[in-house]
Amino acid sequence: MKVRVFVKRGLWFLTALLLGTGIGARTEAQEGVIKTTSVAPQVPGKTRVVKIGLSQVTAIAAQKGWLKEELAKYNATFELVDTTSFGTSGTTAALYDRGDLHLGQSMMNGALQNRAQGLDNVFFWQSRNVRPARAVTLVLKDGNLYKPEDLKGKTLASSLTSCPYYAGIESLRNKGVSVDSEWSKGDLRYVNITNQAAGVSALLAGRFDVAAWHPQSAAVLYVQGQVREITQAVPGGIYTDAGGRSAWSTTKQFARDNPDLVKAFLTVWDKTVRWLYANNGANLNEAATIAARAMRQSKSVALFNLKDDSQTAYEYGVIDWQDAVNAIKKFWKYEIAYKDPFFTKHQISDKEIELLVDKRFYVGGEYFVDVSEKRQGLAAR
């Protein structure tokens, strides 16, 4: 298994990316979803290489030989790309833009942010609604903060463009506690932290009081019993039913040129996810051993990230194109209504959202793979 690690090239690139200038200018909306002339393109004589984001699932699929086996049917091979070496937001968009990544996973809001800044990307997979435990606000256990109202006057840290930021703001707002924004002063001061590893150290050092994170970002602290949660995402809220869904995406050009390889990847993803869910998690210990080695973390952390109710590693997907589109629109309109600092400045139309989801990979499409839980009569979790 070959894993490519990309090193940060300098602050100038990140600055350009965040301003939207490091990505090619946004193209005008096309007249419809990407169209092809055949269901299965002719397998080319030259071997193609698919650059896939490294994650627990892709590492497992590579180690088990499933990626190699499926892609070989299309005269293709793969590289796993470790995007975490940057430690900053916008990494996936940057790698797409320079051709160093073809298939990448993120929360739905992250893929939407990429599109809003000009990346010509498309969704080919989206998860179903997520659990409230997936994004939380947390504090150190040895402090005296226990409930949302205790946080007033304290400092909350998160990444302004991250999934937990949206979930944390929503959950605290639901409890009558507001957070500073560009538009108004709230009950909590806000500090933006994009590097979550540094954020863990800063929390331990007392640089801020509350974090809005995925539990995986503080997995070591959870394993060691050093934190407690103040809130989880609102059940049935905008995060659990829309913005918190995860997504796999690619560039429009790669989807147009290689739809067979996207379908091959979906086939492997589905096989790996079902293996992880099988027999009440009997395979998770083996999976954690593989993931720990690939992700360069302890097995206890890898196991937490695979077994905890907050896990973001693997999930069944939605297969209805309209369902996927409606979730994106719902999240977008909510954030505009509450004057989110990113989406207020980076507008995107309903038509662009519809074009963002490639119909060919959803039910009725020519490259559809059934990634739903209900396939083959599987019982509900």
Side-chain angles (χ1 to χ4, degrees), residues 114-127:
N114 289 341
R115 183 70 185 99
Q117 290 187 108
L119 183 70
D120 205 13
N121 62 326
V122 290
F123 285 32
F124 60 85
W125 179 89
Q126 188 185 109
S127 78

Side-chain angles (χ1 to χ4, degrees), residues 182-343:
E182 185 174 341
W183 318 103
S184 62
K185 185 175 181 179
D187 298 312
L188 280 81
R189 309 290 75 76
Y190 179 77
V191 57
N192 190 46
I193 293 184
T194 58
N195 188 309
Q196 293 175 335
V200 170
S201 297
L203 176 63
L204 290 172
R207 301 293 179 85
F208 56 86
D209 308 291
V210 194
W213 286 339
H214 291 302
Q216 285 86 343
S217 302
V220 172
L221 302 183
Y222 273 86
V223 170
Q224 296 174 350
Q226 292 182 269
V227 292
R228 66 167 160 265
E229 296 174 358
I230 300 295
T231 66
Q232 294 186 343
V234 179
I238 193 63
Y239 177 82
T240 58
D241 292 5
R245 291 184 177 189
S246 57
W248 275 91
S249 59
T250 185
T251 62
K252 188 172 290 184
Q253 180 177 344
F254 188 86
R256 180 184 296 113
D257 295 345
N258 305 279
D260 55 334
L261 299 189
V262 177
K263 180 179 180 180
F265 173 79
L266 284 172
T267 300
V268 176
W269 171 271
D270 181 66
K271 180 176 183 176
T272 310
V273 166
R274 294 183 192 281
W275 181 78
L276 289 165
Y277 274 123
N279 301 319
N280 296 314
N283 298 321
L284 292 180
N285 189 65
E286 179 186 351
T289 300
I290 296 170
R293 185 182 303 113
M295 309 299 287
R296 301 176 185 178
Q297 56 193 201
S298 69
K299 184 176 177 179
S300 61
V301 168
L303 197 58
F304 174 86
N305 288 340
L306 288 167
K307 291 184 67 174
D308 189 74
D309 198 43
S310 66
Q311 67 86 11
T312 62
Y314 58 97
E315 184 58 277
Y316 295 115
V318 298
I319 59 175
D320 181 70
W321 176 83
Q322 193 64 59
D323 184 347
V325 168
N326 289 346
I328 300 173
K329 288 182 178 180
K330 180 179 179 181
F331 173 72
W332 167 261
K333 291 175 181 178
Y334 178 92
E335 297 308 328
I336 293 299
Y338 279 98
K339 295 185 178 180
D340 172 76
F342 177 87
F343 287 113

Side-chain angles (χ1 to χ4, degrees), residues 14-73:
L14 174 60
T15 302
L17 174 65
L18 295 179
L19 290 175
T21 58
I23 302 174
R26 182 191 305 176
T27 59
E28 295 297 321
Q30 303 296 316
E31 66 276 8
V33 297
I34 304 167
K35 298 179 181 179
T36 55
T37 57
S38 63
V39 173
Q42 182 178 357
V43 176
K46 183 179 180 180
T47 301
R48 291 172 288 175
V49 179
V50 189
K51 299 175 182 179
I52 304 170
L54 173 66
S55 69
Q56 287 99 325
V57 172
T58 58
I60 292 163
Q63 181 65 32
K64 300 290 284 186
W66 298 330
L67 269 173
K68 180 179 179 180
E69 177 184 15
E70 187 65 25
L71 289 171
K73 298 175 184 177

